[in-house]
């Protein structure tokens, strides 16, 4: 019985065939998407500083009071 099970497993594995064209196309597509996403993330962090200049107008701030130095 063990011999028939082993021969069945080898037949089953040899009957399976990879579609290498689809695997390669999918891999290249995912690589391009991740590369572009990485570039966009890197550029968005650099452009963040220039966008902060156009922040909304801040409201009036309370006057700052100076605290006299303490002497002992």
């Amino acid at each position: 019985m063990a011999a028939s099970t082993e021969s069945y497993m080898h037949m089953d594995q040899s009957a399976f065939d990879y579609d290498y064209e689809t695997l390669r196309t999918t891999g290249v597509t995912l690589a391009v998407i991740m590369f572009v996403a990485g570039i966009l993330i890197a550029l968005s962090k650099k452009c963040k500083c220039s966008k902060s200049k156009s922040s909304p107008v801040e409201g009036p701030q309370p006057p700052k009071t100076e605290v006299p130095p303490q002497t002992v």
Side-chain angles (χ1 to χ4, degrees):
M1 177 146 177
S4 65
T5 305
E6 288 179 14
S7 65
Y8 177 71
M9 287 175 60
H10 290 296
M11 271 182 33
D12 188 30
Q13 289 178 351
S14 64
F16 186 76
D17 189 27
Y18 286 104
D19 183 10
Y20 288 106
E21 186 66 29
T22 303
L23 285 174
R24 188 172 68 191
T25 304
T26 304
V28 168
T29 304
L30 289 175
V32 168
I33 290 171
M34 288 188 286
F35 178 76
V36 170
I39 295 295
L40 289 175
I41 289 171
L43 291 178
S44 70
K45 289 183 180 180
K46 287 188 176 184
C47 294
K48 194 173 188 179
C49 295
S50 63
K51 288 183 181 179
S52 66
K53 291 179 182 177
S54 63
S55 63
V57 178
E58 295 180 13
Q61 296 180 350
K64 295 181 181 179
T65 58
E66 293 185 24
V67 179
Q70 295 182 0
T71 56
V72 178

